[in-house]
Structure formats: structure tokens, C-alpha cells
Amino acid sequence: MKMLKRLLIGLLTAAGLMASVPASAQAWPSRPLQMIVPQGAGGSTDALARLVAQALGERLGQNVVVDNRAGAGGVLGIGAAAKAAPDGYTLLLGSNTTVAANAFLYASFPVKPLEDFTPLAMAADAPFVFVVPAHSPLKSMSDLMAAAKAAPGKLNYGSGTSSALLCTELLKRAAGIDLTRVPYKSSAQGLNDLIGGQLDVTCEPLSSSMPNVKAGRMRALAQTGAQRSPLAPDIETVAEAGIKGFEYSAWLGFFVPAGVPREISSRLAAELLAVLRLPATADKIRGIGFEPRTADADALAATHRAEMATVAATVRAAGIKAE
């Protein structure tokens, strides 16, 4: 009798605990999820999204479908993710540009990044590098600094992406130099002009720059991360070149729309971290051209807040107006 009584009490307690969890969380996931990527298919960000989506789907027992929403520098994809139902079936692979910098660079940016998204997990970093034309007289960062200080504003730089713009503006602040910005609609256009000698310098992803450097079309001056990347161990960092207080990389992290039940967002965060911490995943991320940077939701939230503050200060200092 006592054992039966204890069993009944246990069943009632379990029922009470289940009743306290929203029905949507109890049933989740009962259908495929979508992962919005604010870039087109075929690029390195898309490749990272697909490898994580595959592994995450296997853990959840549901397909995770990558949904590429390219356009307007990522604004279309960010807007779609923010408007998605907060039910845990839509994830966003955001970056320091799409969920931070673009809020200050686009006059019609449709969301408030810190309010409209819930961070889940940090995934990776993309180191950048300052490059010049192959036949440029600038052989090092010291040469670039000397030339820029000797003739303020004479040297120009190309910016086909928000990252190229912010990277160079941060350098200008850290080094106390003046470079003239030449805006482009795409990174490819700017790189073509750099290779052709119409630009003096630009800041581009290390992974996409190295083929041109190795082919002799461009020269790398310094990479922008805190440490040398395994992708280019022979190229010094900007800090090693003597410019203190400078560091730049493009981070990638996963988010959900604000309002997703905590039980679901916590489960998603845990599953993502489990995937990202697999040695095989880290190796694949490096193969794409990123550096693995696994961190939990709190760390991503702190990085996101700091990025917003840094970009705001950089935009104000540079006098950049939202377009």
C-alpha cells in the first residue's frame, strides 16, 4: 500500500511538472526547422550553415533547412528572421555585420538587433587581412603608416562590404592616419580595382584573399586578428606591426527571434554547442576558411553588445551616414 501511494505521488508530481512546461515546448520539434542565412548560396557562410544544419538536424531528429535570403547587404534576411514566429522553428546565422554594423549603415534597417533576437551560440571567426596591389611600393604596414602620415588623405581604400569599411576605419582610429574611402557595391568590384592599381589598400577576408596573394596579384601586409591564423602563419598581425589597440574579425553566431520559449531556446543552444564542440566540426570550419570560436549564449550576447557599441563609436568618428 505504501509503495502504491508513493507511486501515485510520483506520477502526480511528474504530471504537474509536465503541465508547467508549455505544450509547444513539450512537442518541439515536431516538424523541420529553417536556418535563415542572409547571404547567397555557395559562399563560406553558407557552407558553415549547411554543415551545422546537417549535424543539428541529426541531433534533433528533424531536418534543418538552410534558407538563403541574400540582398541589401543581409538586410532582407535579417528582417525575415526577426518577423518569423517565435516558436523555435526559425534560426538565424548572424554576423557582426548583419546583426550589428548594418544597424548603423542602413537608414531603413528593419530591426533592433539587441531587442529582436535571442542569442544561442557563437560559432566562428573570419580573420581579415590588409592587401595592396602586387606592384605597390608599400611592402609592409610600416610603409603604409609612413605614406599615410606623410600625405593625409592621399591614399585610398576600397569598401565593398561593411566589414571592409569598419576594418579600415578602425585602423585609421588606432593608427591616427587618414585614408580616403572609395565605396563599391561588392567586394569583387573593389578587388578588381585593387589588382588593377586603382586602389591603394583594402581589408578583405583572409580566406578569399590568399589565392590572389599566392597567385601574385596582391600583396598581404598584415592580418587583423589577435593572433596569426593557421591559414597564413607567415603573415604578421597588425598588432605585431606596432599598431596597438587594433583587432578585427568577422564573427558568426546563431540566434532565434525574441520571444521563443526559454525551454526551446535553451535546448537549441545546448544542441548547437554540442555540434560546434565536435572536433570534426571544428576541422570542417577551418576547411571553409573560418576559425572555430565556440561560446555560449551569454558570451555571444556580450560580444553582440560590445560590437554594437564599437560600431556606433566608429561610425560617429568617421562621420559615416546611413545610406
Side-chain angles (χ1 to χ4, degrees), residues 62-304:
Q62 292 286 349
N63 288 334
V64 179
V65 180
V66 173
D67 183 1
N68 297 97
R69 300 285 188 98
V75 174
L76 295 181
I78 296 301
K83 293 176 182 177
D87 54 12
Y89 287 94
T90 299
L91 293 83
L92 168 70
L93 178 55
S95 70
N96 64 314
T97 54
T98 57
V99 296
N102 285 354
F104 302 95
L105 300 176
Y106 285 85
S108 58
F109 197 67
V111 304
K112 296 180 179 179
L114 295 177
E115 299 176 16
D116 293 340
F117 296 107
T118 297
L120 296 179
M122 181 75 80
D125 265 337
F128 278 61
V129 62
F130 284 102
V131 289
V132 297
H135 301 296
S136 170
L138 306 175
K139 308 293 184 183
S140 66
M141 285 300 288
S142 296
D143 289 345
L144 175 62
M145 295 301 102
K149 290 179 179 179
K154 181 178 179 180
L155 298 181
N156 61 30
Y157 78 91
S159 65
T161 63
S162 300
S163 289
L165 167 62
L166 293 172
C167 176
T168 313
E169 290 297 332
L170 285 169
L171 176 71
K172 288 168 57 176
R173 290 180 62 194
I177 60 173
D178 184 20
L179 302 171
T180 298
R181 177 192 177 199
V182 181
Y184 289 87
K185 292 184 178 180
S186 72
S187 178
Q189 292 175 336
L191 285 177
N192 284 336
D193 277 1
L194 181 84
I195 292 170
Q198 285 78 49
L199 288 176
D200 295 305
V201 65
T202 192
C203 183
E204 288 292 325
L206 186 63
S207 59
S208 60
S209 297
M210 289 312 295
N212 281 316
V213 171
K214 292 178 179 179
R217 290 186 285 269
M218 301 188 312
R219 178 186 300 121
L221 300 185
Q223 51 186 301
T224 66
Q227 300 175 340
R228 297 191 186 193
S229 168
L231 296 173
D234 297 331
I235 300 176
E236 68 178 359
T237 67
V238 172
E240 288 175 329
I243 303 168
K244 304 303 180 184
F246 177 90
E247 179 184 335
Y248 183 83
S249 63
W251 51 260
L252 292 165
F254 292 96
F255 299 80
V256 288
V260 170
R262 180 169 295 183
E263 294 82 3
I264 294 177
S265 62
S266 295
R267 168 87 186 281
L268 264 175
E271 299 292 2
L272 281 166
L273 287 173
V275 167
L276 293 166
R277 286 171 176 159
L278 291 172
T281 302
D283 289 343
K284 290 176 182 177
I285 288 174
R286 292 188 186 95
I288 294 170
F290 292 111
E291 295 289 342
R293 184 184 174 185
T294 305
D296 63 16
D298 290 340
L300 175 55
T303 298
H304 194 190

